[in-house]
Structure formats: C-alpha cells, structure tokens
Amino acid sequence: MKPIKASWLALLLAVDSQAAVTLSNVAIAQREGTRLVDIYYDAINPAGSSLSAFVAVSNNDERVEATAFSGDVGGNVSEGSGLHIVWDGGADLPGVATTDLSITLSVSDPVPAGVVLIPAGANTGNDPDFGPYSLTVDAFYMDATETTKAEWDAVANASPLINASDGKGKAPNHPVQDTTWYEAVKWCNARSAMEGLTACYNLSTWSCNFNANGYRLPTEEEWEYAARGGLSSKRYPWGNQIDHTNANYYSTYYDEHHPSFSNGGYPYTSPVAYFEPNGLGLYDMAGNVWEWCWDSLGTDKVSKGGSWDSWEIEQRCGHRGVAHPSNSGNILGFRTVRNASVAETHTEILVFDSRDYALAVASAHGSPVPAVGVFHYAWKSAVTCSVDAVVLEGGTNFTCTGWIGSGSVPASGDGNHVVVVLEELDSSIEWQWANDDTDSDGMDDAWETAFFGGLGQSAATDYDHDGQNNGDEYIAGTNPTNAASLFQLQARAVPAGFIIEWPAASNRTYDVFWTPNLVYIGFEAIETNLAFPRHSATATLHSAEAQGFFRVDVKK
C-alpha cells in the first residue's frame, strides 16, 4: 500500500491505544553533506526497561534490503528519550535520488530470539502470474527459518503430545519434514506449553483460538504477506527472476535439482538460512520444503513456498499448494507464528539523495584546497576552497582576483576563499589570477612604478647610464635610477677561506663562483641555486692560496 502523501513530505502515525510500548517525537531526515539518515525518537515500555525497534525502507513501493543500521535499533533497546538510529542509505541504496523514500520505524516489546517481527500493514498489488491481490495483517512474530529437525526433537522429547520419529530430517540444521498437518499443530501446542504460553489449538476439534499467545501455523494471508518481504507485484520474495543462487528447488531450465544438495540420497533439502533472507529477514520463503498453513480448501489444507522437488512456478509467493492434513512426505514441513504485542509504527516519506556530487577545482597558480582535480561528495556537502592571495612564480607575482564557477552557487567567500554547497551534480570552481607584469617586459609592475612612476620604461633602457639596463638592474635588485646603486658583494676572511655575503631578495636565486686569479680562465662553483633567506656562502680555499676572486650570478 502506497503511503498517504500531502506533498513531498508526509507523516503516517499508526497508534493503538492498547499498545504496551509508546512511540513519540519521531524525526527522520537525511543528514546534509552525507548519505546518512538520522532517525530520532522517544519510546517507553511500561512493561519493562527494554524494547525492540525495527526500521523498514521502501523506494517507490519497492522494498529496500536495508541492513546498514546502527544505534538504538534491534531486539534489545533500552527505553528512553532522544533515542537515535543512523541508517547508511548510501551503502544500502547507492546512486539514488528519490522524493518517495518511505521509512517506517516500529517499536514493540522485545522480540524473542529466532523470530522476526512482522509489523501490521497492507500489501496490495498485481502478481505477474496470479493477478490482483490484497493482503492485510496485524502485527505478528514469525520464525525466521523453517522448523529444523533439532527444534522438532527438542520439543518432541519433552512432550507426550508427539513422537520425535513423526518428524524426519536430513540433519539437525535441515528442516524437519515428513510431518502431517495434525502433527505440526500438536507440536505448536507442545512448544507453547514448554514456554509457558497459552496453547492455540483444541486438539479435539482442531479449532484455533487466534487470541491466545501461543504458537500456531500462519494463515495463508500472513504467510504470503511475510513472504513478499515488503515487495509488491513480484513473483518471488526477492523479485521476478529465480535461479539456484536464490533458493533450493528443481530447475526446469537446467532439468536438475539444486547441484549443491542433490547428493547423499533423498530428500535434497538444504540447511536452513543457507540463502539470503527476504526484506523482512525471513529465510527459505521459497524452496526447501512446503510449509503448512492454517487455511482449508475443502477437506485439504493449504501449503506454501514450494520445495526442493518443486518447479519454479511453485516457488512463487502467490502459488498455493494443497494436501490432506493427514498427508506427509519429505517435501512437507512448517514454521510457526505468534501474535505480537501491539506495536506502534511511524512512517515518513522524504527526499533522499545518495548520488555523487562532483566538484572540479582548477587553478593556474597557488595551492588550492582541495587540490586541483575532480572530487566527489554527498548531497549538500559544504566544501571550503581557498588559495594563497599572492603567489610568486619565476620572479613574477600573481594575485588572486577571485573565482568563476558553474553549477552550485558559492554560498560565501572573498577573493581567495569560498564555500561551495553542492546542490547540483556537476559543479566547478576555477581560480582567477592577475599577472603583476601586465606589460610583459620582465619587470614587475610594482617595481617599475616605484622607481619610474609608471610602466613606460623598457627593460632594455639604461635609465641611469651606469652600464646596466633596467632589466639587469631589476634582476640584480639595485636601484635603476641611481648610477651609484650597485650590487654589493663582500668577503670576510675566516680560517682556511672566506665567507661571501650579498643582499638577497625573495624572488631571486644566486650562484657563487671562485677563481684563484683573474688570469685563470674558469670560475669554480662554490654553491648554486641559493635562495632567500640565504645571503652568504663559505669558500674553503687550498692552503697554498691566500687570495681569490669571487663572482655571484643573480637569477630570477
């Protein structure tokens, strides 16, 4: 049944005034910037300090096999306020954007071990093979697996109602089989007595008290509702196709029994819970053994689910088998149900987005945060991008003037800092820079303006007629308007050599050379590629040499 919606957000609160557990203050929403959904709630159990909390998810009426839950969820939750469940929607439902995600929170008394709480609800649809159907159930507990031979023996050995030999089994963890409907009903009463519950069946009339809290066989409607696992209009508990990865059955396509279990003699049953469960956590709702139900068809009783020796069509949720209640065989077994304490349920329909949001970052200069490249984030991630305001490259300063972008509009920022909140799948930010040498003459605009009052001077001009053109003076870091402004190189004698010192600039590098005399043709490199703040080099000379000549080359 599609949840009622008033708009893109709707609430459906189903509350029973007799519920032992109360549910209130439910809030469900996707956490911005993540693929997580937060579920907050308050729950009180007057009958005890603990309760069970379960979450079911469907997308456009399709049940989602959601398992990535953490927090106050499961069969033993401490009651209280401010309880919190986190669902990793990106793990269970990746790459999806929907305005119709249904999340249902159910709370009840603690669920016994080995059973599954089937919340009250309705499932209507159109089965591909059997046509329209409409299923409505109250909350009930159902065994997660078919009754095993070990479980049968444990009850039979403790009760005079039945004989252990009335149920067969290939192994303790295989389903019990070869049981009649009557024997299954008696076993239900025996199990109820063992656990101190009120028996459901009158073994004289074979009638059922559905108000009793003991074990019973499911009605056909309960069985089919549970088998569909929250999916509607599908053939099988998991969808419309079947193969031997889903269930233990006889394949007409391959004309064979399940190859993993067709050995060791009949029956070819498989261990319970061998295959993946359906959306409600129930195993083997198709295949393995037929399961007795309560309902009658004439003098026969209904069975559901197919078996290891049944064809594909008999595994379908809507298919009905019938057999006389006194019949038995190695294809017949059962599982039990119990009435559940009335649970409170809260459903919300919300917008959910688990797609990748791409942000491309580009910059000709600077060190961007995040680095240059394409990055993927969750919906509404707030990504901080920044670069240095000024970057020195090759002796030229570049100043960040801002950014251009596409996709998500920056929420805030200044010239070199911006926050992008990703609301469009593909977004980009590209940093813009201004070159400080706008006339491309090799001299920074600020340096030219400081000495010449503008950008009118050429690098090739010797403005102060000292034999060095403006470009060379710029590289040397000297004053191009003062003929006395020369590059200052000093040497101090130290034991066994000299220390060479010079004025250094942040946008220059230096190579230091030495020769023993000016007649000597070649200069020997002392150190190269020295950068600010280095402004000296130590020359160690040979003991026989008491003097030397030094040269420092200055480079942008």
Side-chain angles (χ1 to χ4, degrees):
M1 178 179 70
K2 193 178 185 66
I4 302 168
K5 291 196 294 181
S7 61
W8 69 269
L9 176 64
L11 304 180
L12 175 63
L13 183 60
V15 179
D16 190 298
S17 61
Q18 301 302 312
V21 179
T22 59
L23 177 65
S24 61
N25 298 324
V26 181
I28 305 176
Q30 183 174 356
R31 191 187 308 173
E32 291 187 358
T34 74
R35 298 175 178 86
L36 306 176
V37 172
D38 292 301
I39 304 170
Y40 292 94
Y41 67 102
D42 299 343
I44 302 298
N45 185 2
S49 61
S50 63
L51 50 88
S52 292
F54 295 97
V55 180
V57 181
S58 61
N59 180 27
N60 292 307
D61 287 340
E62 293 288 331
R63 182 96 177 182
V64 177
E65 292 188 15
T67 60
F69 294 102
S70 60
D72 298 312
V73 64
N76 190 23
V77 175
S78 296
E79 66 171 4
S81 59
L83 301 176
H84 184 201
I85 300 172
V86 178
W87 175 50
D88 187 348
D92 285 330
L93 203 62
V96 168
T98 178
T99 60
D100 199 21
L101 190 75
S102 175
I103 297 184
T104 299
L105 169 65
S106 299
V107 294
S108 72
D109 285 337
V111 175
V115 305
V116 172
L117 171 65
I118 311 298
N123 187 330
T124 59
N126 189 29
D127 189 286
D129 304 299
F130 302 106
Y133 66 87
S134 180
L135 307 167
T136 302
V137 299
D138 294 327
F140 64 96
Y141 297 132
M142 185 176 230
D143 291 336
T145 69
E146 294 165 328
T147 302
T148 65
K149 181 61 166 70
E151 290 170 331
W152 172 274
D153 289 346
V155 173
N157 291 332
S159 173
L161 291 176
I162 46 181
N163 297 316
S165 60
D166 289 338
K168 307 293 191 301
K170 195 166 187 177
N173 64 337
H174 281 235
V176 68
Q177 31 82 14
D178 209 17
T179 59
T180 69
W181 183 91
Y182 296 118
E183 289 162 348
V185 163
K186 289 190 289 183
W187 190 89
C188 288
N189 274 12
R191 184 182 181 187
S192 299
M194 282 184 62
E195 297 184 18
L197 304 175
T198 302
C200 294
Y201 295 104
N202 184 320
L203 301 184
S204 297
T205 63
W206 303 107
S207 60
C208 181
N209 176 9
F210 283 93
N211 293 320
N213 65 356
Y215 293 94
R216 57 181 175 81
L217 298 178
T219 66
E220 182 179 12
E221 187 169 24
E222 288 172 332
W223 192 98
E224 185 174 339
Y225 179 90
R228 290 189 180 275
L231 300 180
S232 63
S233 304
K234 302 298 181 184
R235 289 186 173 98
Y236 304 104
W238 52 82
N240 279 329
Q241 304 299 321
I242 187 173
D243 59 38
H244 277 154
T245 65
N246 305 125
N248 180 10
Y249 70 100
Y250 185 91
S251 170
T252 57
Y253 183 84
Y254 292 107
D255 192 26
E256 66 177 4
H257 290 97
H258 198 293
S260 297
F261 308 109
S262 54
N263 52 61
Y266 282 161
Y268 297 155
T269 57
S270 50
V272 299
Y274 178 87
F275 300 94
E276 290 296 316
N278 73 357
L280 290 175
L282 300 168
Y283 296 89
D284 295 314
M285 296 303 283
N288 221 6
V289 292
W290 288 94
E291 298 180 17
W292 286 114
C293 293
W294 162 255
D295 303 74
S296 300
L297 191 64
T299 59
D300 291 332
K301 289 292 184 179
V302 171
S303 60
K304 300 284 284 186
S307 75
W308 58 269
D309 199 35
S310 304
W311 296 346
E312 290 88 346
I313 191 172
E314 296 174 291
Q315 316 299 319
R316 299 176 184 182
C317 297
H319 185 83
R320 173 191 289 160
V322 293
H324 193 272
S326 62
N327 283 3
S328 64
N330 59 14
I331 59 172
L332 274 167
F334 66 97
R335 77 176 74 209
T336 68
V337 300
R338 278 179 57 197
N339 294 340
S341 59
V342 177
E344 286 201 33
T345 300
H346 181 99
T347 298
E348 289 195 19
I349 311 301
L350 67 154
V351 173
F352 175 74
D353 197 331
S354 63
R355 296 173 296 180
D356 279 340
Y357 281 71
L359 175 64
V361 179
S363 177
H365 306 282
S367 300
V369 179
V372 168
V374 178
F375 304 87
H376 293 98
Y377 299 93
W379 163 80
K380 276 205 170 183
S381 290
V383 183
T384 299
C385 296
S386 64
V387 294
D388 295 333
V390 179
V391 175
L392 176 66
E393 288 188 5
T396 301
N397 286 323
F398 294 87
T399 301
C400 180
T401 60
W403 69 85
I404 59 173
S406 64
S408 301
V409 178
S412 62
D414 51 35
N416 68 312
H417 179 90
V418 62
V419 177
V420 179
V421 179
L422 296 171
E423 297 184 271
E424 296 187 35
L425 284 177
D426 294 302
S427 303
S428 68
I429 183 166
E430 181 179 347
W431 296 102
Q432 303 297 295
W433 300 85
N435 186 336
D436 282 356
D437 181 15
T438 57
D439 57 356
S440 301
D441 61 0
M443 301 181 293
D444 284 352
D445 295 348
W447 186 87
E448 289 188 75
T449 301
F451 287 111
F452 304 123
L455 306 181
Q457 291 295 319
S458 165
T461 300
D462 181 6
Y463 185 88
D464 58 1
H465 304 291
D466 63 355
Q468 300 293 321
N469 62 34
N470 294 334
D472 290 339
E473 298 242 31
Y474 169 70
I475 293 174
T478 54
N479 185 340
T481 65
N482 184 349
S485 178
L486 303 174
F487 185 81
Q488 298 295 312
L489 182 64
Q490 297 180 347
R492 291 188 292 112
V494 294
F498 296 90
I499 292 179
I500 312 304
E501 297 177 313
W502 61 89
S506 63
N507 58 349
R508 303 290 186 267
T509 59
Y510 304 90
D511 295 339
V512 183
F513 301 91
W514 170 82
T515 185
N517 58 71
L518 293 178
V519 178
Y520 189 69
I521 296 175
F523 277 82
E524 176 185 338
I526 300 298
E527 286 192 76
T528 59
N529 293 319
L530 298 179
F532 183 84
R534 285 288 301 276
H535 64 282
S536 67
T538 300
T540 301
L541 304 181
H542 301 295
S543 59
E545 297 163 338
Q547 66 177 12
F549 298 89
F550 297 90
R551 187 185 85 219
V552 175
D553 291 349
V554 187
K555 302 180 293 184
K556 288 180 65 177

